[in-house]
Amino acid sequence: MSDIMTAKDLNLWYDQTQALKNVNITIPEKSITAFIGPSGYGKSTFLKTLNRMNDLIPTVKIKGEVCYNGQNIYDSSVDVNELRREIGMVFQKPNPFPMSIYDNIAYGPRTHGIKSKVKLDEIVEQSLRDAAIWDEVKDRLKKNALGMSGGQQQRLCIARALAVKPKILLMDEPTSALDPISTSRIEELAIELKKSYTIVIVTHNMQQAVRISDNTAFFLLGELIEYGETEKLFSQPVDKRTEDYITGRFG
Amino acid sequence: MLSKKRKAYIGGMKAAMYISTGLTATLVIFLVAYVFIKGIPHISWELLSTKPSYISGKIGILPDILNTLYIVIATLIFVIPLGVGAAIYLTEYAKNKRLVGMIEYAAETLSGIPSIIYGLVGMLFFCQFLSFKTSLLSGSLTLVIMNLPTVMRTTQESLKTVPKSYRDGAFGLGAGKWRVIRTVVLPSCVDGVITGCILSIGRILGESAALLFTAGFAHALNGIFEGLTSPGASLTVALYVYAKEQGEFGVAFAIAAILMILTLLINLSATLVSRYFAKKREL
């Protein structure tokens, strides 16, 4: 497996508060990488540096490099919109747009210039199939997406992200607002999707990390404490703090 | 057990409450009824469809109705793009939050200034300095300045109600800022913007002081372009002229009744618009 993203000495500040300290990490292609750690310690912040969503917060300052396919994404020549097309995102709370299911999925492709109805129909169907929700919604594509259940909405958001044909999918605690059944469907979906996509998932649920991820990174106080194969990290953690966290001594 | 004193106190307060409510309701109902009773008998097709003539001595308010319509159209043409555009810039683009705060504060202060002051400034600036003369255009531009703060503020408030998660979702798909605003933010708050605009139509319709200075008193029947460049009385100004200068109280009350019906319709349509969009979103 070759590496698709690398962060080198990444530091991030919100105003004066440092939220990430010298993070170095390499994310392999077509696999699931999980970020674990207590809430408020930099996992989501780091995830959002990978497609520059932090640019939207005016007080954020970043030092260091994040390379995607060998190119530093913070370089001034990078087209952020194109970057976010290639590195898609699924958010903590399902956030479909207040429009029809069809228009939700077609939003991304339309944004990137696809106008043909035939082409859009094709993309919408394929994305919904890939997100394992086609059978549930094929008869009500013109209905408002806000009428779906939370779990369906989250799978719709995954389909929406897939519709722009990204290479990487960033998932920020995608199941934290969902019930157990919807959660397991999203997990199955993630495992299915890693055949074609690279997935990076933030989770505060350690069982989830064990169930679905290939590699796990443990963040604490803005630092990357330990990173390695999931099985190894959970069975033989090297760092004392990792061991304390995964055995439930804090967090 | 309640003491006698306490019982009397509760009874007294209740009575005071009923009296104040009753008084308020009576005043409103009396005002509406009085205007309608005095005005409606004078509303006739002839009044609505002719212009006044000194030769025949008949009074028609068609020119005033048209003038009002022209003023509303001309004002909206300027005030909506300016107000909505300024609101989008201030809420979505402007980086200097202190400056935005100052502009918002200034806008709020401006909307509280008595309209006669706008009239005075409008007269000096539009009629004289820009030499638009006393005309519906000068009047409309004065009303633009008057309504700009309100349209801007209501639009800003609607923009702020759009959840951040919608924006994040669109940005995350690689949409640029303007595309996010145009395709996600504006459609989800369009009802607030439209309601704000409808309510400002109500204010334009009801304005008189600012127009006395800037738009004039003529009752000539004009097309819209000719009308905008010549002086003309709006319905409110005509009401003033007929009542105060010609003693035609019947006509004045007829106009008053018409204005009240129009205001009612405008408020009703604002409610309908927001209800329509709320329903559309629910589906």
Side-chain angles (χ1 to χ4, degrees), chain A residues 53 56 81 84-85 87-89 91 95-99 107-108 110-112 144 146-147 160-161 164, chain B residues 95 164-177 179-181 183-184 188 280-283:
Chain A
M53 283 301 278
L56 302 172
N81 295 339
R84 293 193 189 131
R85 188 192 68 72
I87 307 177
M89 187 144 205
F91 298 84
N95 60 344
F97 302 132
M99 36 179 109
Y107 187 85
R110 279 178 180 144
T111 298
H112 297 283
N144 196 314
L146 299 184
R160 184 174 71 182
V164 291
Chain B
K95 293 243 157 57
K164 183 173 168 291
S165 64
Y166 291 173
R167 298 166 210 255
D168 282 348
F171 281 123
L173 290 166
K177 183 140 196 168
R179 183 167 167 83
V180 174
I181 294 170
T183 53
V184 176
S188 24
K280 209 174 140 192
R281 207 163 303 147
E282 245 169 47
L283 290 177

Side-chain angles (χ1 to χ4, degrees), chain A residues 10-25:
Chain A
L10 193 80
N11 288 277
L12 181 145
W13 292 264
Y14 292 111
D15 269 333
Q16 307 296 320
T17 328
Q18 186 160 13
L20 292 173
K21 292 172 194 156
N22 280 320
V23 176
N24 285 284
I25 196 170

Side-chain angles (χ1 to χ4, degrees), chain A residues 117-211:
Chain A
K117 175 95 175 60
V118 185
K119 197 91 205 287
L120 283 174
D121 287 349
E122 204 180 292
I123 293 173
V124 169
E125 176 168 349
Q126 193 54 49
S127 310
L128 288 168
R129 280 189 192 284
D130 289 347
I133 192 177
W134 170 252
D135 290 326
E136 290 160 63
V137 301
K138 63 179 181 217
D139 300 320
R140 50 182 181 130
L141 291 176
K142 295 289 169 201
K143 288 267 165 62
N144 196 314
L146 299 184
M148 308 164 84
S149 73
Q152 286 177 323
Q153 286 188 6
Q154 194 60 301
R155 277 179 288 145
L156 179 83
C157 291
I158 294 174
R160 184 174 71 182
L162 297 179
V164 291
K165 310 220 159 32
K167 298 282 185 301
I168 303 179
L169 209 52
L170 308 176
M171 297 177 147
D172 187 4
E173 300 192 20
T175 60
S176 65
L178 304 180
D179 60 275
I181 295 169
S182 304
T183 299
S184 77
R185 299 194 71 165
I186 303 259
E187 289 179 3
E188 282 162 25
L189 179 59
I191 292 167
E192 188 61 32
L193 289 174
K194 79 167 182 182
K195 290 177 192 156
S196 347
Y197 304 90
T198 306
I199 292 175
V200 184
I201 183 168
V202 167
T203 177
H204 56 208
N205 177 337
M206 280 179 278
Q207 285 75 32
Q208 184 167 65
V210 175
R211 281 194 298 264

Side-chain angles (χ1 to χ4, degrees), chain B residues 98-118:
Chain B
R98 265 190 61 190
L99 187 69
V100 173
M102 269 161 66
I103 294 176
E104 287 177 356
Y105 187 74
E108 249 143 50
T109 312
L110 274 177
S111 53
I113 290 179
S115 61
I116 199 146
I117 297 175
Y118 284 98

